[in-house]
């Protein structure tokens, strides 16, 4: 069982930056697909970005491409989401998720069908 815990959320003004972290409870030997999702009040959950731990390939939602960067530190077993040029519409609870998966699965994964999920961290962007 892998436990995921997000941190790094907070309040920031529009145009600012935040870096979210997602620490895994144990070393993950298998190839994984790791992802960030977000959900704003009254809105559907949205996939933000994902990364294959084997290939390193990354994928982004159109709404964040060019502003957000997903990365992983294998030594620390931690997933990151660097968010820049933040907008009020980025306000949401951000969740990380992970599944043992091949790079091919990660490339085509567009839903929320991940084995492990964190509890979320709030990001609030004020105008």
């Amino acid at each position: 069982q892998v436990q995921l815990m997000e941190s790094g959320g907070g309040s920031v003004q529009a145009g600012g930056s935040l870096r979210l972290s997602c620490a895994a409870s144990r070393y993950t030997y298998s190839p994984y697909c790791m992802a960030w999702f977000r959900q704003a009040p009254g809105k559907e959950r949205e996939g933000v970005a994902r990364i294959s731990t084997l290939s390193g390939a990354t994928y982004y939602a159109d709404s964040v491409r060019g502003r957000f960067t997903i990365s992983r530190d294998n030594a620390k077993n931690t997933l990151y989401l660097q968010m820049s040029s933040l907008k009020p519409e980025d306000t949401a609870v951000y969740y990380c998720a992970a599944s043992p998966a091949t790079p091919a699965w990660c490339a085509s994964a567009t839903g929320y069908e991940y084995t492990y999920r964190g509890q979320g961290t709030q990001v609030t962007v004020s105008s």
Side-chain angles (χ1 to χ4, degrees):
Q1 184 76 11
V2 176
Q3 293 181 329
L4 304 175
M5 180 164 293
E6 303 93 339
S7 62
S11 298
V12 64
Q13 289 190 329
S17 300
L18 281 174
R19 188 177 79 159
L20 305 182
S21 300
C22 173
S25 61
R26 65 174 177 85
Y27 184 73
T28 54
Y29 291 95
S30 300
Y32 271 70
C33 185
M34 303 190 75
W36 287 98
F37 290 82
R38 66 186 181 185
Q39 188 162 20
K43 295 187 177 181
E44 292 187 355
R45 185 185 301 116
E46 176 188 16
V48 175
R50 63 191 188 273
I51 183 170
S52 168
T53 63
L54 183 59
S55 68
T58 57
Y59 309 90
Y60 296 93
D62 290 342
S63 58
V64 306
R65 186 174 292 112
R67 300 188 298 122
F68 291 10
T69 302
I70 189 172
S71 63
R72 185 174 188 261
D73 185 329
N74 290 335
K76 296 182 178 180
N77 214 23
T78 300
L79 179 72
Y80 299 102
L81 185 69
Q82 177 67 47
M83 305 185 294
S84 302
S85 301
L86 283 161
K87 305 175 181 180
E89 51 264 43
D90 294 319
T91 295
V93 177
Y94 284 70
Y95 303 88
C96 66
S99 263
T102 64
W105 186 92
C106 198
S108 61
T110 56
Y112 197 52
E113 302 82 18
Y114 286 78
T115 305
Y116 308 109
R117 304 169 193 173
Q119 295 299 308
T121 185
Q122 176 71 44
V123 172
T124 303
V125 184
S126 58
S127 57

